[in-house]
Amino acid sequence: MNPSTHTAKKTSLILLLMTMTLLGVFPLDVVLPSFPALSDYFRTSASDIALSVSLFAIGLGLSVVLVGPLSDRWGRKNLLLTGIAISMVGATGCLLSSDYSWFLVFRVIQAVGCGSFVLSQALIQDLFVGKQQERIRIWMTTGGGVFISISPLLGTWLQMHLGWEGSFYVFIALAAIVWTKAGVLLKETPRSHTAAPARFFSAYWRLCADVRFMGYWLISGLAFACHFSFIVMSPIIFMERLALTPYEFAWTLLLYGVAYVFGGIVASALHRRLPANSQIVIGLGLIALSGLVMLWLANQFGLTAAAVLIPMLICTAGTTIARPIANSKAMTLYPQDAGTSSSVGGVMIFLCGGVISVVINLASEDLTTALALCFLVLSATGLGLNALIMQRNLALNAS
């Protein structure tokens, strides 16, 4: 293969992985502005519509648990293609549903298929080596954050022009493109025949018993929880408390996306110059700084858009620096179980984001203080985990 062909294929693979990352969050974020329209169409309450998001998350989590070990045993390409096809069937069923119960059923089917997109982490491990893996994970983290930031604006535009069905049409179109590209670009990974069916989940126990592996994924999960908690609380802060219109809210979050790009640029520069431990410390340190800045601004100026956005920009930069390197360090510990490693990481990230955002939501009277304290506690916990990992590494090297 000549260099230009090799470069073109590498670029196509990166675009494929980026689109997989996008599709992993698309069904959750873009549909949010369509809640009122869905409520009217199915003649049900907004809380019932919110149930579809909860069921989607549950279906996604259950799927993620299974996808990784299955891909290690049966190979990734066919499992990914099957998952994408299932997600398209689920999205099509949502479009055709006239009864809300069937809509919920097909949302769960869509979620189960979307679980296959977690294999993007394993595919990075399969297709790239060394610093390339870290660089691509930085790009994916940055791209995912930017997409989440523009989701409200995209969802509002789709709702205006295509109705609530718009997000499902776009999802099906993107999924079909990814299915086609994956079929052409990916080669099937070697299948594992060493583990008996009765010991199918033995890799889970081996990975979860490793302090370093769990520590790195927890650091990534805690950093993600800071970002996710803000996204979940942002409609309450900006639209309910600060009375921004949906469009003003959407444009405000675009600035949040700019912070992801900036963080990605900084992370790309740091990963070429500093060891992983230093990158993690810098990222978590910025998250802690954002908590202190938010507390100070809230105390000085009360609840304002600037008092929330300025510390969130700092937090976002820290998240973009810490998460990709933590993911890479976790994934490189067990390359032979890359699929299972992806599943463990995916489950831990979803759990951290979901549980911590619920805890913050309970402090509905003072969300900024709750967010700030959350950033301080989570960053301190992450720094403690990083120190524990370093001690473990020293002990292993000494032995």
Side-chain angles (χ1 to χ4, degrees):
M1 182 182 297
N2 63 56
S4 60
T5 303
H6 176 75
T7 301
K9 183 175 181 180
K10 179 180 173 181
T11 302
S12 297
L13 286 169
I14 293 172
L15 289 174
L16 173 65
L17 293 171
M18 292 287 286
T19 310
M20 287 172 60
T21 301
L22 183 155
L23 285 175
V25 297
F26 192 101
L28 280 170
D29 297 308
V30 177
V31 76
L32 296 179
S34 296
F35 270 28
L38 283 165
S39 181
D40 290 341
Y41 182 83
F42 289 109
R43 298 180 182 178
T44 188
S45 67
S47 60
D48 285 339
I49 300 299
L51 177 63
S52 70
V53 176
S54 300
L55 288 178
F56 187 95
I58 292 170
L60 185 63
L62 293 175
S63 177
V64 166
V65 169
L66 295 173
V67 161
L70 285 174
S71 74
D72 287 333
R73 185 172 178 80
W74 295 342
R76 299 196 222 293
K77 178 179 178 179
N78 289 334
L79 192 64
L80 175 63
L81 294 177
T82 301
I84 296 172
I86 291 172
S87 71
M88 292 169 67
V89 169
T92 303
C94 289
L95 286 171
L96 298 177
S97 297
S98 57
D99 180 78
Y100 187 60
S101 297
W102 280 109
F103 178 82
L104 290 179
V105 169
F106 283 111
R107 277 291 275 175
V108 172
I109 293 172
Q110 184 187 16
V112 169
C114 285
S116 63
F117 295 126
V118 76
L119 292 177
S120 59
Q121 289 289 339
L123 287 169
I124 293 174
Q125 203 67 31
D126 295 337
L127 299 170
F128 303 95
V129 295
K131 292 288 186 180
Q132 282 186 329
Q133 296 173 350
E134 297 174 11
R135 185 164 60 251
I136 292 168
R137 287 191 173 101
I138 290 170
W139 294 344
M140 291 176 65
T141 301
T142 303
V146 170
F147 176 73
I148 289 171
S149 302
I150 67 173
S151 291
L153 188 61
L154 176 59
T156 301
W157 187 89
L158 289 172
Q159 175 59 45
M160 287 178 60
H161 295 279
L162 297 174
W164 66 264
E165 298 94 340
S167 64
F168 293 94
Y169 289 135
V170 174
F171 175 86
I172 293 169
L174 289 174
I177 293 170
V178 171
W179 190 91
T180 303
K181 287 292 186 181
V184 173
L185 293 172
L186 298 179
K187 295 181 179 179
E188 188 55 274
T189 54
R191 303 182 183 192
S192 171
H193 300 287
T194 57
R199 302 186 62 186
F200 182 72
F201 289 105
S202 61
Y204 268 116
W205 305 117
R206 183 170 64 256
L207 270 57
C208 292
D210 189 326
V211 172
R212 298 174 302 160
F213 178 84
M214 296 296 287
Y216 281 127
W217 273 124
L218 266 175
I219 290 171
S220 180
L222 294 174
F224 173 79
C226 295
H227 147 79
F228 186 75
S229 297
F230 170 72
I231 289 295
V232 172
M233 297 299 109
S234 59
I236 300 174
I237 294 173
F238 290 109
M239 289 195 287
E240 181 179 313
R241 305 285 170 84
L242 295 175
L244 269 63
T245 67
Y247 257 120
E248 289 172 334
F249 167 62
W251 284 103
T252 299
L253 281 195
L254 284 182
L255 184 60
Y256 189 59
V258 172
Y260 258 98
V261 174
F262 174 75
I265 293 170
V266 174
S268 296
L270 291 178
H271 101 276
R272 292 192 295 267
R273 295 174 174 83
L274 295 177
N277 175 57
S278 299
Q279 295 175 57
I280 290 173
V281 170
I282 290 171
L284 294 174
L286 286 173
I287 292 173
L289 175 62
S290 72
L292 293 174
V293 171
M294 185 176 285
L295 283 175
W296 183 81
L297 289 174
N299 182 62
Q300 293 293 316
F301 305 102
L303 181 60
T304 66
V308 176
L309 274 177
I310 290 172
M312 280 313 307
L313 299 181
I314 300 171
C315 178
T316 300
T319 299
T320 313
I321 292 168
R323 280 194 64 214
I325 190 62
N327 292 354
S328 284
K329 296 300 291 184
M331 291 295 298
T332 54
L333 289 174
Y334 295 92
Q336 73 279 11
D337 295 312
T340 307
S341 297
S342 295
S343 284
V344 173
V347 170
M348 291 178 68
I349 285 171
F350 286 135
L351 282 176
C352 286
V355 171
I356 291 168
S357 63
V358 168
V359 171
I360 293 176
N361 192 37
L362 295 176
S364 57
E365 294 303 315
D366 195 350
L367 288 177
T368 51
T369 299
L371 277 171
L373 293 176
C374 165
F375 297 164
L376 290 171
V377 171
L378 296 185
S379 59
T381 304
L383 290 168
L385 286 168
N386 190 54
L388 180 63
I389 293 169
M390 292 302 101
Q391 290 179 356
R392 181 62 176 167
N393 285 333
L394 289 173
L396 291 173
N397 292 332
S399 61

